[in-house]
Amino acid sequence: MQLTGSEVLVECLKEQGVDTIFGYPGGAVLNIYDALYKHQNEIRHILTSHEQGASHAADGYARSTGKVGVCLATSGPGATNLVTGIATAYMDSVPMVAITGNVTVPLLGKDSFQEVDIAGITMPVTKHNFIVKDVTKLADTLRLAFKIAITGRPGPVLVDITKDVTAAKTEYTKVVPEKIERVTETIKEEDLVTAAQMIKEASKPMIFVGGGAVISEASEELNTFVDLVDAPVCDTLMGKGAFSGEDERYTGMLGMHGTKTSNLAVTECDLLITIGARFSDRVTGNIDKFAAGAKILQIDVDPAEINKNVITDHSIVGDIKMVLRRVNDKLTQHNHSEWIQHVLDMKEKYPLKYNKDILTGPYIIEKVYEITKGDAIITTEVGQHQMWAAQFFKYQKARTFLTSGGLGTMGYGLGACIGAKVANPDKIVVNMAGDGCFRMNMNEIATATRYNIPIIQIVFNNHVLGMVRQWQSLFYEERYSYTVLNDAVDFVKLAEAMGAKAYRITKKEEVEGVLKEAIELNIPVVIDCQIQSDDKVWPMVAPGAAIDEVFTEEDLKK
């Protein structure tokens, strides 16, 4: 049948099972929006307050479901406003298709009104991108974009469509999407045998889990693997929930703000089994001293990550779920009770601590965990609150902790929270933000109230840029250069002005009642929590130091 390019786009979205997109209209995408209007009962469109909010919402939708998130923006500034969200998704391997409009083909390259080379701009931060100038190629391009976004190591794909293509007509025939197969052709039998032998020879194995295990949905296989190897488990920021934080063998996060136990255990182990992690600098500290006494076995779907940051002794390339299944078949039951007991003793000796006499970020997070019984999706911005959320909430399932790990995007969490709640309407979804982060994209509260999306926004309001101030305190002799937010902004009034219910908490005794009421109301809620300016995230590894040089506040005083 003959359809316009805009109608072809909508039909292709329906082919791919897209039920929700996040976007903001403009001149170059008017035809697309007209087509969406006619199909609003089939595809829900969420109008965000800013295009960046749309990209983060699509990201949160994707991370919480494993499906491809979709965002839409007009040409020029509309497209460039998506870039930070696209880069965020790229760094954390999030499947996303970003659709942008552009000027008509005759106007390309002529500095036309609201023209920008968005394909060129996003080339370094997309898995692939396209510009469509021929309506006959639109459908196949969109189908390929979705396939690329979700295949292997996922990532964002940009499809830029000129306005004349959205108006032109072409023949459209529905196509059922092909099943996306997991990457298995790179899994070699000899690699599996070598891995099993390395595990057999180890007396102090340590399992290190990254975001790849979440993306691959390998929790069941990972649990079996941990049981067979009989080893303690640590994780990255992105790996939270792949292995339950409630399991006694779980030692917490590794790296700059990882637990003392994880950092010391990785330093002491004789085999580090790395599953879907890329050895970020925030994890390894001083590369030359990282797990220096251990052999390193790395499992990852992306061959580019092997030996990129840390030289491995052996590696297996392939889908994490499938690799673990096949490795598990080759393993016998191991027993490392003495090693595990040593690690458990360290857990008891070096627990995470905070001041329990006053209102603090960790206290609030523990209360959220207690009240929700851990059955919630937590999104965060970036900074101290993000680290506290990683440390003090025990993630029991994958896809329940959504945060900007690789890019560290302040302003990410609120949009992601909206996207996650839209995708998971029956879940409690909470965004945790510092006051510095919240003010970056707090206009998305208006999006939540417009559609009555019942998110809970907690602001850890310490009136400073907390993480930067922490570094200034420890490494810059307390020179607080432009990190004090001593203005008159009232988040309660702002939230109320945007239509949300708002609370201000100043003491511990208020936390439980407010949280319970916020959950019960089932409407958009903002909670402004006044905490101290000099609260810090402990423990910490100084930049450039080895991870076993991790120190706490008590160590610093000594």
Side-chain angles (χ1 to χ4, degrees):
M1 65 182 133
Q2 286 276 316
L3 296 178
T4 66
S6 297
E7 291 165 335
V8 169
L9 167 59
V10 171
E11 292 302 324
C12 286
L13 292 177
K14 286 158 59 179
E15 278 180 12
Q16 299 295 328
V18 174
D19 54 25
T20 307
I21 66 172
F22 304 88
Y24 206 96
V29 288
L30 274 174
N31 295 328
I32 296 172
Y33 271 87
D34 195 50
L36 284 170
Y37 181 84
K38 296 167 187 172
H39 293 268
Q40 57 190 291
N41 294 330
E42 297 163 285
I43 297 176
R44 184 184 187 190
H45 178 280
I46 302 290
L47 174 65
T48 55
S49 298
H50 190 284
E51 290 92 353
Q52 189 181 135
S55 59
H56 294 325
D59 176 304
Y61 182 99
R63 290 195 207 217
S64 65
T65 62
K67 299 197 296 187
V68 178
V70 183
C71 55
L72 170 63
T74 192
S75 62
T80 57
N81 281 345
L82 293 178
V83 173
T84 298
I86 292 169
T88 302
Y90 180 74
M91 290 290 279
D92 290 342
S93 305
V94 178
M96 178 196 291
V97 171
I99 299 164
T100 54
N102 214 326
V103 298
T104 59
V105 171
L107 292 177
L108 285 173
K110 297 182 178 178
D111 294 332
S112 306
F113 177 67
Q114 288 194 332
E115 182 202 358
V116 74
D117 177 13
I118 194 63
I121 289 168
T122 58
M123 194 173 289
V125 291
T126 49
K127 197 173 172 189
H128 199 83
N129 62 29
F130 302 91
I131 178 164
V132 183
K133 306 177 191 176
D134 179 350
V135 72
T136 64
K137 295 177 180 175
L138 178 59
D140 286 342
T141 300
L142 287 164
R143 291 165 186 147
L144 183 56
F146 275 85
K147 182 179 179 181
I148 291 170
I150 203 72
T151 303
R153 180 180 182 171
V157 177
L158 177 113
V159 183
D160 191 38
I161 309 169
T162 62
K163 187 171 182 179
D164 42 0
V165 165
T166 67
K169 288 199 168 184
T170 188
E171 192 66 27
Y172 165 79
T173 305
K174 183 177 180 178
V175 174
V176 176
E178 61 184 279
K179 187 183 177 190
I180 302 297
E181 299 294 339
R182 293 176 178 270
V183 177
T184 57
E185 66 277 7
T186 52
I187 306 171
K188 309 298 182 191
E189 180 67 16
E190 57 268 31
D191 289 340
L192 300 169
V193 171
T194 302
Q197 186 62 30
M198 289 174 76
I199 291 165
K200 184 179 179 181
E201 293 170 359
S203 58
K204 297 187 291 182
M206 186 79 185
I207 296 169
F208 172 41
V209 180
V214 172
I215 293 165
S216 181
E217 299 184 329
S219 290
E220 187 180 334
E221 290 77 10
L222 177 61
N223 279 315
T224 302
F225 182 75
V226 173
D227 289 341
L228 288 168
V229 177
D230 195 34
V233 181
C234 62
D235 59 16
T236 66
L237 197 64
M238 305 310 301
K240 293 280 166 200
F243 186 76
S244 174
E246 288 279 18
D247 194 293
E248 72 164 0
R249 295 166 295 185
Y250 176 69
T251 62
M253 194 164 62
L254 179 68
M256 180 172 281
H257 291 295
T259 62
K260 261 196 171 185
T261 304
S262 291
N263 285 0
L264 295 176
V266 166
T267 304
E268 291 179 26
C269 74
D270 62 1
L271 175 65
L272 182 62
I273 306 165
T274 303
I275 300 172
R278 59 186 179 84
F279 296 114
S280 155
D281 58 296
R282 281 295 200 263
V283 158
T284 61
N286 186 322
I287 286 277
D288 296 332
K289 297 179 180 178
F290 178 75
K295 289 184 177 178
I296 294 178
L297 167 62
Q298 185 178 4
I299 303 170
D300 205 287
V301 74
D302 186 355
E305 291 301 339
I306 308 298
N307 297 323
K308 186 176 87 174
N309 295 329
V310 170
I311 302 302
T312 63
D313 294 274
H314 185 61
S315 60
I316 306 173
V317 173
D319 178 82
I320 301 291
K321 189 181 189 79
M322 305 311 290
V323 171
L324 289 178
R325 274 188 190 172
R326 291 176 62 176
V327 170
N328 288 343
D329 288 341
K330 297 198 177 301
L331 294 177
T332 54
Q333 182 61 59
H334 295 278
N335 186 326
H336 300 110
S337 55
E338 193 176 320
W339 164 240
I340 285 185
Q341 189 56 54
H342 170 64
V343 174
L344 290 177
D345 290 344
M346 283 199 288
K347 268 182 80 172
E348 195 170 330
K349 184 179 179 182
Y350 304 121
L352 291 169
K353 294 180 182 177
Y354 64 89
N355 185 346
K356 302 205 173 180
D357 297 328
I358 57 171
L359 180 65
T360 63
Y363 176 81
I364 296 162
I365 289 162
E366 286 192 332
K367 273 294 173 188
V368 173
Y369 182 77
E370 177 190 312
I371 290 165
T372 63
K373 298 182 174 61
D375 187 18
I377 295 173
I378 304 299
T379 67
T380 80
E381 307 292 346
V382 172
Q384 289 180 315
H385 62 276
Q386 177 191 32
M387 295 298 105
W388 289 326
Q391 291 174 332
F392 291 96
F393 196 100
K394 297 173 185 174
Y395 301 92
Q396 300 166 48
K397 294 178 182 176
R399 303 197 183 282
T400 56
F401 181 57
L402 317 182
T403 193
S404 174
L407 196 64
T409 305
M410 293 173 70
Y412 163 80
L414 182 49
C417 187
I418 289 169
K421 183 64 179 179
V422 168
N424 303 270
D426 297 329
K427 283 278 188 187
I428 296 168
V429 186
V430 183
N431 184 47
M432 297 182 177
D435 48 324
C437 291
F438 181 58
R439 66 183 64 211
M440 288 200 167
N441 279 332
M442 61 188 172
N443 50 356
E444 296 306 336
I445 291 294
T447 305
T449 58
R450 178 185 298 119
Y451 295 99
N452 194 28
I453 301 168
I455 59 165
I456 298 173
Q457 167 68 66
I458 299 176
V459 183
F460 296 83
N461 192 351
N462 56 8
H463 303 279
V464 294
L465 297 177
M467 187 60 88
V468 187
R469 182 184 178 89
Q470 177 164 332
W471 280 54
Q472 289 173 334
S473 295
L474 296 173
F475 309 117
Y476 292 87
E477 298 175 338
E478 300 183 357
R479 292 187 295 275
Y480 300 126
S481 179
Y482 303 104
T483 51
V484 179
L485 307 176
N486 56 352
D487 48 36
V489 176
D490 185 327
F491 291 136
V492 170
K493 288 180 179 177
L494 271 169
E496 289 173 343
M498 286 188 278
K501 175 71 175 173
Y503 301 86
R504 181 171 288 112
I505 291 176
T506 59
K507 51 191 177 187
K508 284 175 63 180
E509 294 73 24
E510 298 168 329
V511 175
E512 186 169 337
V514 168
L515 285 175
K516 285 181 175 177
E517 189 172 316
I519 292 167
E520 198 175 311
L521 283 171
N522 202 37
I523 60 174
V525 172
V526 176
I527 307 172
D528 178 17
C529 301
Q530 301 281 323
I531 64 172
Q532 295 196 350
S533 297
D534 281 311
D535 282 357
K536 292 182 174 61
V537 177
W538 301 111
M540 184 173 185
V541 177
I547 58 170
D548 64 340
E549 294 173 46
V550 56
F551 62 92
T552 62
E553 190 170 20
E554 291 84 355
D555 296 329
L556 201 63
K557 287 173 182 174
K558 289 174 189 174

